[in-house]
Coordinates of all heavy atoms in Angstrom, one line a residue:
R1 N 12.4 11.0 -9.6 CA 11.1 11.1 -10.4 C 11.0 9.7 -11.1 O 9.9 9.1 -11.1 CB 11.2 12.2 -11.4 CG 9.9 12.7 -11.9 CD 9.9 13.9 -12.8 NE 11.2 14.3 -13.3 CZ 11.8 15.5 -12.9 NH1 11.3 16.3 -12.0 NH2 13.0 15.8 -13.4
Q2 N 12.0 9.2 -11.7 CA 12.0 7.9 -12.4 C 11.6 6.8 -11.4 O 10.8 5.9 -11.8 CB 13.4 7.5 -12.9 CG 13.6 7.7 -14.4 CD 14.9 7.2 -14.8 OE1 16.0 7.7 -14.3 NE2 15.0 6.3 -15.7
A3 N 12.0 6.8 -10.2 CA 11.7 5.7 -9.3 C 10.4 5.9 -8.6 O 9.9 5.1 -7.8 CB 12.9 5.6 -8.2
G4 N 9.8 7.1 -8.8 CA 8.5 7.4 -8.1 C 8.6 7.6 -6.6 O 7.7 7.4 -5.8
L5 N 9.8 8.2 -6.2 CA 10.0 8.4 -4.8 C 9.6 9.9 -4.5 O 10.0 10.8 -5.3 CB 11.5 8.2 -4.5 CG 12.1 6.8 -4.7 CD1 13.6 6.8 -4.5 CD2 11.3 5.8 -3.9
T6 N 8.9 10.1 -3.4 CA 8.5 11.4 -3.1 C 9.0 11.8 -1.7 O 10.1 11.8 -1.4 CB 6.9 11.5 -3.2 OG1 6.3 10.5 -2.4 CG2 6.4 11.4 -4.6
D7 N 8.0 12.0 -0.7 CA 8.4 12.5 0.6 C 9.0 11.5 1.5 O 9.9 11.8 2.3 CB 7.2 13.2 1.3 CG 6.7 14.4 0.5 OD1 7.5 15.0 -0.2 OD2 5.6 14.8 0.7
E8 N 8.5 10.3 1.5 CA 8.9 9.3 2.5 C 9.2 8.0 1.8 O 8.6 7.6 0.8 CB 7.7 9.1 3.5 CG 8.2 8.3 4.7 CD 7.1 8.3 5.7 OE1 6.3 9.2 5.8 OE2 7.0 7.3 6.4
V9 N 10.3 7.4 2.2 CA 10.7 6.1 1.6 C 11.0 5.0 2.7 O 11.1 5.4 3.9 CB 12.1 6.3 0.8 CG1 11.8 7.2 -0.4 CG2 13.2 6.8 1.7
E10 N 11.1 3.8 2.3 CA 11.4 2.7 3.1 C 12.8 2.2 2.7 O 13.1 2.1 1.5 CB 10.4 1.6 3.1 CG 9.1 2.0 3.6 CD 8.0 0.9 3.4 OE1 8.2 -0.1 2.7 OE2 6.9 1.1 3.9
L11 N 13.7 1.9 3.6 CA 15.0 1.4 3.3 C 15.2 0.0 3.8 O 14.7 -0.3 4.9 CB 16.1 2.3 4.0 CG 16.0 3.8 3.7 CD1 17.0 4.5 4.6 CD2 16.4 4.1 2.3
E12 N 15.9 -0.8 3.1 CA 16.2 -2.1 3.5 C 17.6 -2.5 2.9 O 18.0 -2.0 1.9 CB 15.1 -3.2 3.2 CG 15.0 -3.5 1.7 CD 14.0 -4.6 1.5 OE1 14.1 -5.7 2.1 OE2 13.1 -4.4 0.7
V13 N 18.2 -3.4 3.6 CA 19.5 -3.9 3.2 C 19.3 -5.3 2.6 O 18.7 -6.2 3.2 CB 20.6 -4.0 4.3 CG1 21.9 -4.7 3.8 CG2 20.8 -2.6 4.9
Q14 N 19.7 -5.5 1.3 CA 19.6 -6.8 0.7 C 21.1 -7.2 0.3 O 21.6 -6.5 -0.6 CB 18.7 -6.7 -0.6 CG 17.3 -6.6 -0.3 CD 16.4 -6.5 -1.5 OE1 16.9 -6.6 -2.6 NE2 15.1 -6.3 -1.3
Q15 N 21.6 -8.2 0.9 CA 23.0 -8.5 0.7 C 23.9 -7.3 0.9 O 24.0 -6.8 2.0 CB 23.2 -9.2 -0.6 CG 22.4 -10.5 -0.7 CD 22.4 -11.1 -2.1 OE1 23.0 -10.6 -3.0 NE2 21.8 -12.3 -2.2
D16 N 24.6 -6.9 -0.1 CA 25.5 -5.7 0.1 C 24.9 -4.4 -0.5 O 25.7 -3.5 -0.9 CB 26.8 -6.1 -0.6 CG 26.7 -6.3 -2.1 OD1 25.6 -6.5 -2.6 OD2 27.8 -6.2 -2.8
R17 N 23.6 -4.3 -0.6 CA 23.0 -3.2 -1.2 C 21.9 -2.5 -0.3 O 21.3 -3.2 0.5 CB 22.2 -3.6 -2.5 CG 23.1 -4.2 -3.5 CD 22.3 -4.8 -4.6 NE 23.1 -5.7 -5.4 CZ 23.9 -5.4 -6.4 NH1 24.0 -4.1 -6.8 NH2 24.5 -6.3 -7.1
I18 N 21.8 -1.2 -0.4 CA 20.7 -0.5 0.3 C 19.6 -0.3 -0.7 O 19.9 0.3 -1.8 CB 21.2 0.8 0.9 CG1 22.3 0.6 2.0 CG2 20.0 1.6 1.5 CD1 22.9 1.9 2.5
V19 N 18.5 -0.8 -0.5 CA 17.3 -0.7 -1.4 C 16.4 0.3 -0.9 O 16.0 0.3 0.3 CB 16.7 -2.1 -1.6 CG1 15.5 -2.0 -2.6 CG2 17.7 -3.1 -2.1
I20 N 15.9 1.2 -1.7 CA 15.0 2.3 -1.4 C 13.7 2.0 -2.1 O 13.7 1.9 -3.3 CB 15.6 3.7 -1.8 CG1 16.9 3.9 -1.2 CG2 14.6 4.8 -1.4 CD1 17.6 5.2 -1.7
H21 N 12.6 2.0 -1.3 CA 11.3 1.8 -1.9 C 10.4 3.0 -1.5 O 10.6 3.6 -0.5 CB 10.6 0.6 -1.2 CG 11.3 -0.7 -1.4 ND1 11.2 -1.5 -2.5 CD2 12.1 -1.4 -0.6 CE1 11.9 -2.6 -2.4 NE2 12.5 -2.5 -1.2
P22 N 9.4 3.3 -2.4 CA 8.4 4.3 -2.0 C 7.7 3.8 -0.7 O 7.4 2.6 -0.6 CB 7.4 4.3 -3.1 CG 8.1 3.7 -4.3 CD 9.1 2.7 -3.7
A23 N 7.4 4.7 0.2 CA 6.8 4.3 1.5 C 5.3 3.9 1.2 O 4.6 4.7 0.4 CB 6.8 5.4 2.5
H24 N 4.8 2.8 1.7 CA 3.4 2.4 1.5 C 2.6 3.1 2.6 O 3.0 3.0 3.8 CB 3.3 0.9 1.5 CG 4.0 0.3 0.4 ND1 3.6 0.3 -0.9 CD2 5.2 -0.5 0.4 CE1 4.4 -0.3 -1.7 NE2 5.4 -0.8 -0.9
R25 N 1.5 3.7 2.2 CA 0.6 4.3 3.2 C -0.2 3.2 3.9 O -0.7 2.3 3.2 CB -0.3 5.3 2.5 CG 0.4 6.5 2.0 CD -0.6 7.6 1.5 NE -1.9 7.1 1.4 CZ -2.7 7.2 0.3 NH1 -2.2 7.8 -0.7 NH2 -3.9 6.7 0.3
S26 N -0.4 3.3 5.2 CA -1.2 2.3 5.9 C -2.6 2.5 5.3 O -3.1 3.6 5.0 CB -1.2 2.6 7.4 OG 0.0 2.5 7.9
R27 N -3.3 1.4 5.2 CA -4.7 1.4 4.7 C -4.9 1.9 3.3 O -6.0 2.2 2.9 CB -5.6 2.2 5.7 CG -5.6 1.6 7.1 CD -6.4 2.5 8.1 NE -6.2 2.0 9.4 CZ -5.3 2.4 10.3 NH1 -4.5 3.4 9.9 NH2 -5.2 2.0 11.5
Q28 N -3.8 1.8 2.5 CA -3.9 2.3 1.1 C -4.9 1.3 0.4 O -4.7 0.1 0.5 CB -2.5 2.3 0.5 CG -2.5 2.8 -0.9 CD -1.1 2.9 -1.4 OE1 -0.1 2.6 -0.8 NE2 -0.9 3.4 -2.6
G29 N -5.8 1.9 -0.3 CA -6.8 1.0 -1.1 C -8.0 0.5 -0.3 O -8.8 -0.1 -0.8
W30 N -8.0 0.8 1.0 CA -9.1 0.3 1.8 C -10.5 0.9 1.4 O -11.5 0.2 1.4 CB -8.9 0.7 3.3 CG -7.9 -0.3 4.0 CD1 -7.0 -1.0 3.4 CD2 -7.9 -0.6 5.4 NE1 -6.3 -1.7 4.3 CE2 -6.8 -1.5 5.6 CE3 -8.6 -0.1 6.4 CZ2 -6.5 -1.9 6.8 CZ3 -8.3 -0.6 7.7 CH2 -7.2 -1.5 7.9
D31 N -10.5 2.2 1.0 CA -11.8 2.8 0.5 C -12.4 2.0 -0.6 O -13.6 1.7 -0.6 CB -11.6 4.2 0.1 CG -11.4 5.2 1.3 OD1 -11.7 4.8 2.5 OD2 -10.8 6.3 1.1
E32 N -11.6 1.7 -1.6 CA -12.1 0.9 -2.7 C -12.5 -0.5 -2.3 O -13.6 -1.0 -2.8 CB -10.9 0.8 -3.8 CG -11.3 0.0 -5.0 CD -12.4 0.6 -5.8 OE1 -12.8 1.7 -5.6 OE2 -12.9 -0.2 -6.7
Q33 N -11.8 -1.1 -1.4 CA -12.2 -2.5 -1.0 C -13.5 -2.4 -0.2 O -14.4 -3.3 -0.4 CB -11.1 -3.1 -0.1 CG -9.8 -3.4 -0.9 CD -10.1 -4.4 -2.0 OE1 -10.8 -5.4 -1.9 NE2 -9.6 -4.1 -3.2
F34 N -13.7 -1.4 0.6 CA -15.0 -1.2 1.3 C -16.1 -1.0 0.4 O -17.2 -1.5 0.5 CB -14.9 -0.1 2.4 CG -14.0 -0.4 3.6 CD1 -13.2 0.5 4.1 CD2 -14.1 -1.7 4.2 CE1 -12.4 0.2 5.2 CE2 -13.3 -2.0 5.3 CZ -12.5 -1.0 5.8
R35 N -15.9 -0.2 -0.7 CA -16.9 0.0 -1.6 C -17.3 -1.2 -2.3 O -18.5 -1.5 -2.5 CB -16.4 1.1 -2.7 CG -17.5 1.5 -3.6 CD -17.0 2.5 -4.7 NE -16.0 1.8 -5.6 CZ -16.3 0.9 -6.5 NH1 -17.5 0.5 -6.7 NH2 -15.4 0.4 -7.3
L36 N -16.3 -2.1 -2.7 CA -16.6 -3.3 -3.4 C -17.4 -4.3 -2.5 O -18.3 -5.0 -2.9 CB -15.3 -4.0 -3.9 CG -14.6 -3.3 -5.0 CD1 -13.2 -3.9 -5.3 CD2 -15.5 -3.3 -6.3
M37 N -17.0 -4.3 -1.2 CA -17.7 -5.2 -0.2 C -19.2 -4.8 -0.1 O -20.0 -5.6 -0.1 CB -17.0 -5.1 1.1 CG -15.7 -5.8 1.3 SD -14.9 -5.5 2.8 CE -16.1 -6.1 4.0
A38 N -19.4 -3.5 -0.1 CA -20.8 -3.0 0.0 C -21.6 -3.4 -1.2 O -22.8 -3.8 -1.1 CB -20.8 -1.5 0.3
E39 N -21.0 -3.2 -2.4 CA -21.7 -3.6 -3.6 C -22.1 -5.0 -3.7 O -23.1 -5.4 -4.2 CB -20.8 -3.2 -4.8 CG -20.7 -1.8 -5.2 CD -19.8 -1.5 -6.4 OE1 -19.3 -2.5 -7.0 OE2 -19.6 -0.4 -6.7
Q40 N -21.2 -5.9 -3.1 CA -21.4 -7.3 -3.1 C -22.2 -7.8 -1.9 O -22.5 -9.0 -1.8 CB -20.1 -8.1 -3.2 CG -19.3 -7.8 -4.5 CD -17.9 -8.3 -4.4 OE1 -17.5 -9.0 -3.5 NE2 -17.1 -7.9 -5.4
G41 N -22.7 -6.9 -1.1 CA -23.4 -7.2 0.1 C -22.6 -8.0 1.1 O -23.1 -8.8 2.0
D42 N -21.3 -7.8 1.1 CA -20.4 -8.5 2.0 C -19.9 -7.7 3.1 O -18.9 -7.9 3.7 CB -19.2 -9.0 1.1 CG -18.4 -10.1 1.8 OD1 -18.9 -10.8 2.7 OD2 -17.2 -10.3 1.4
D43 N -20.7 -6.7 3.5 CA -20.3 -5.8 4.6 C -21.3 -5.9 5.8 O -21.5 -5.0 6.5 CB -20.2 -4.4 4.1 CG -21.6 -3.8 3.5 OD1 -22.4 -4.7 3.2 OD2 -21.7 -2.6 3.4
R44 N -22.0 -7.0 5.9 CA -22.9 -7.2 7.0 C -22.3 -8.0 8.1 O -21.4 -8.8 7.9 CB -24.2 -7.9 6.5 CG -24.9 -7.1 5.4 CD -26.2 -7.8 5.0 NE -26.9 -7.0 4.0 CZ -26.6 -6.9 2.7 NH1 -25.6 -7.6 2.2 NH2 -27.4 -6.2 1.9
L45 N -22.8 -7.8 9.3 CA -22.3 -8.5 10.5 C -22.7 -10.0 10.3 O -23.8 -10.3 9.9 CB -23.0 -8.0 11.8 CG -22.5 -6.6 12.2 CD1 -23.3 -6.1 13.4 CD2 -21.0 -6.6 12.5
L46 N -21.9 -10.9 10.8 CA -22.1 -12.3 10.7 C -22.9 -12.8 11.9 O -23.7 -13.7 11.8 CB -20.8 -13.1 10.6 CG -20.0 -12.8 9.3 CD1 -18.7 -13.6 9.4 CD2 -20.7 -13.1 8.1

């Protein structure tokens, strides 16, 4: 709970340690970025 770890994690070795990170979802935050692009008119074909 303290580390914010839930169902899926990413593991990596750093020197002599195993580091556990929360798994990042693919495309996380894309909806917000698309909304901002549309607001700024930056979502048109070039």
Side-chain angles (χ1 to χ4, degrees):
R1 205 175 10 250
Q2 255 185 305
L5 301 176
T6 55
D7 296 337
E8 193 171 329
V9 296
E10 295 174 353
L11 304 172
E12 70 175 307
V13 176
Q14 292 180 359
Q15 296 174 357
D16 63 343
R17 303 170 195 273
I18 298 173
V19 180
I20 305 171
H21 300 276
H24 296 289
R25 292 188 347 232
S26 298
R27 300 176 185 92
Q28 185 173 2
W30 281 25
D31 288 339
E32 176 65 12
Q33 292 302 314
F34 288 139
R35 187 186 65 72
L36 291 172
M37 286 174 61
E39 282 179 7
Q40 297 169 6
D42 199 18
D43 61 342
R44 294 182 179 85
L45 292 176
L46 298 176

